[in-house]
Amino acid sequence: MTTVINEHSLSLKQRAQSILKANDQGGYTVPTKGLYPYQWNWDSVLAAWGFSSFDVDRAWQELESLFGGQWENGMVPHIIFHKPDDSYFPGPAVWGADRSPATTGITQPPIAATFARKIYDEDRKLGLSRVQALYTPLLRWHRWFMTYRVEENAIVITHPWESGRDNAVDWDLPARQVDVSEVGEYTRRDTSHVNSDMRPKKADYDRYIALVNLGRNTGWDEKKIRDISPFRVADPGMTFILLRACRDLLWLCEELNDDANADKDEIEGWISTLEAGAQRLWNPAISAYDSLDIRTGKYAGSLSNASYLCWYAGIQSSTMLEHLNRVYQQLPYPVPSLDPGHPDFDPLRYWRGPVWPFFNALIGIGLEDAGQTDEALHLKNATNKLIAKEGFFEYCHPQSAQGAGGDNFTWTAAIWLSWIDRGMN
């Protein structure tokens, strides 16, 4: 039992709201104090969704702040460094992206269009002008993906951090081709906040920094990175999330534009491309959606929680449903970030086994939308029990529910408010 749920004077709803307010830095939200002191891309979008359950205006502020860091080419970076903080490495000087506000040179999964639509539905009168202002920046971000990151019709990542699943086994083999000989000495900050057994290993981090150096040395030129980087992996998570986001962007296009055909054909073309890309990521060897190394043409052999985002993307799969129900039978707190039958399954090391409550919300939304009501309800109830037992942690042990990573975590509080609590009313 943690201090989160030992505070008997506060309900889970009150506790979740207080976490969002405590992590609010004035227009943007940090994931948790100490470990993550800046504005992270998809964390921020989920924070907005959480705020929308009790403060819709503040929700729009969160999205507007995030898109305030958008690059001229349309990319929305994975971190915005609003103010100096030595507690995080690598900071803006390492990234070398010459801009204000300072940002990293990579992106993160584009969930913003999907949740902008959900927030708009909270109060269409209040949200109309806000979502209209965000529509073009969203369109430009999606266009950036489709311009620079489509290979085999799927979306590729150029750094493990872009996927949001930093040290997933999906990246192990591609990352081994990264030259770390010139990385040099550096001091990590994450392991001063969290047990190192729960974080990526040093060999992983060396490769992360090497890829940052590679990108910085090109001036974050996407064409140059495509040509020279050994790390280029088609990611089911990115592909499914952008496919879903394009469907929601198309809905916004038709909702907001008097001339709906202005962007409609372009967005529909993106949807068709990504649907084909999703099928390319089907690995028959494991009968599941899997990551694909573009450089070698080899699948990772990884049934991860990203594999279950097929329904979120609008793709039905009876085989994936069989996998999911098997995992439900094996673990009291699904969905693990790596299948428990995988030899590298580690229930407490970051993305190699733990369950992430916010990722469950994405999977659950997909299941609900696909009409898989029993599986969706099972996942929501299991996630609720996990949070009620341990509190609002970043991630948790899928068997014991032990909380791990950061505590008082924004996205865990946010999904409790906007996915679990509302679904129980």
Side-chain angles (χ1 to χ4, degrees):
M1 301 286 281
T2 70
T3 56
V4 171
I5 59 173
N6 278 339
E7 296 180 26
H8 294 299
S9 61
L10 294 178
S11 68
L12 281 174
K13 177 182 283 188
Q14 291 173 315
R15 183 61 185 172
Q17 290 181 353
S18 71
I19 288 171
L20 291 186
K21 293 174 182 177
N23 289 337
D24 184 354
Q25 303 300 295
Y28 73 93
T29 308
V30 298
T32 189
K33 293 180 179 178
L35 182 59
Y36 302 111
Y38 298 114
Q39 183 177 19
W40 261 257
N41 188 317
W42 64 341
D43 298 70
S44 189
V45 175
L46 289 166
W49 190 35
F51 276 120
S52 74
S53 68
F54 64 95
D55 188 342
V56 177
D57 179 69
R58 178 62 186 80
W60 287 116
Q61 290 177 23
E62 189 76 27
L63 295 181
E64 290 157 359
S65 174
L66 175 64
F67 277 85
Q70 186 170 34
W71 286 26
E72 292 79 5
N73 64 6
M75 191 268 283
V76 181
H78 102 287
I79 302 174
I80 302 176
F81 302 107
H82 287 282
K83 54 187 178 183
D85 194 317
D86 293 336
S87 68
Y88 180 80
F89 175 86
V94 180
W95 289 92
D98 185 17
R99 57 198 318 102
S100 180
T103 74
T104 59
I106 60 175
T107 193
Q108 265 196 329
I111 62 174
T114 296
F115 289 94
R117 177 180 174 180
K118 289 183 179 296
I119 294 166
Y120 173 57
D121 278 339
E122 291 288 343
D123 186 334
R124 293 194 175 187
K125 183 177 180 180
L126 173 64
L128 180 59
S129 63
R130 314 293 279 272
V131 77
Q132 285 175 328
L134 278 174
Y135 171 77
T136 297
L138 287 165
L139 182 74
R140 292 179 57 233
W141 189 20
H142 289 206
R143 187 178 289 135
W144 175 87
F145 273 106
M146 301 306 295
T147 301
Y148 296 111
R149 295 302 187 82
V150 174
E151 295 194 33
E152 304 278 352
N153 290 321
I155 300 299
V156 299
I157 60 170
T158 61
H159 194 295
W161 285 340
E162 284 194 316
S163 70
R165 300 183 296 124
D166 300 13
N167 65 321
V169 300
D170 304 49
W171 328 130
D172 285 359
L173 289 177
R176 287 175 190 169
Q177 306 308 310
V178 176
D179 181 6
V180 299
S181 62
E182 297 184 6
V183 167
E185 296 296 323
Y186 59 89
T187 302
R188 291 173 62 173
R189 301 290 192 270
D190 58 320
T191 51
S192 67
H193 297 283
V194 177
N195 186 327
S196 61
D197 289 340
M198 300 179 185
R199 300 293 295 176
K201 297 179 181 178
K202 184 181 185 303
D204 297 316
Y205 234 83
D206 287 348
R207 292 163 184 144
Y208 302 156
I209 300 306
L211 287 170
V212 171
N213 293 343
L214 183 151
R216 183 190 64 233
N217 292 340
T218 71
W220 298 106
D221 185 311
E222 287 292 331
K223 294 180 180 178
K224 291 180 180 178
I225 294 171
R226 180 188 60 204
D227 291 341
I228 68 174
S229 177
F231 186 91
R232 201 163 184 87
V233 184
D235 173 20
M238 275 288 206
T239 302
F240 285 143
I241 285 171
L242 184 59
L243 175 51
R244 168 60 183 260
C246 285
R247 297 191 198 280
D248 289 313
L249 187 66
L250 180 61
W251 185 90
L252 289 171
C253 172
E254 295 174 334
E255 172 77 8
L256 302 175
N257 293 330
D258 292 333
D259 178 10
N261 292 323
D263 306 311
K264 184 177 178 181
D265 290 346
E266 184 179 18
I267 299 170
E268 287 178 339
W270 297 343
I271 291 170
S272 295
T273 295
L274 295 171
E275 286 175 337
Q279 296 314 308
R280 179 66 180 93
L281 297 181
W282 183 263
N283 180 356
I286 63 171
S287 296
Y289 294 103
D290 193 7
S291 297
L292 176 68
D293 186 344
I294 295 298
R295 299 306 189 208
T296 65
K298 295 180 179 179
Y299 289 104
S302 168
L303 172 53
S304 70
N305 51 359
S307 306
Y308 296 109
L309 291 178
C310 53
W311 302 289
Y312 180 83
I315 296 173
Q316 292 281 8
S317 174
S318 58
T319 303
M320 290 305 304
L321 203 62
E322 291 173 6
H323 284 305
L324 184 64
N325 281 308
R326 170 179 55 82
V327 169
Y328 281 0
Q329 293 173 4
Q330 289 178 296
L331 299 170
Y333 302 105
V335 174
S337 42
L338 181 63
D339 191 82
H342 194 285
D344 291 323
F345 175 76
D346 185 337
L348 277 181
R349 188 179 291 278
Y350 221 39
W351 289 93
R352 303 177 85 91
V355 55
W356 297 71
F358 91 93
F359 218 99
N360 281 2
L362 301 185
I363 296 170
I365 288 169
L367 289 167
E368 291 165 7
D369 290 348
Q372 305 295 346
T373 54
D374 289 344
E375 287 80 5
L377 183 60
H378 180 96
L379 185 58
K380 185 173 289 186
N381 287 338
T383 308
N384 180 50
K385 290 177 182 177
L386 179 143
I387 293 173
K389 184 175 187 292
E390 284 293 305
F392 296 92
F393 277 90
E394 182 181 6
Y395 52 94
C396 300
H397 196 297
Q399 294 160 321
S400 69
Q402 176 187 341
D407 195 358
N408 295 323
F409 217 84
T410 291
W411 62 21
T412 308
I415 66 98
W416 196 92
L417 290 167
S418 288
W419 179 56
I420 294 175
D421 183 50
R422 292 187 172 194
M424 296 168 62
N425 291 339

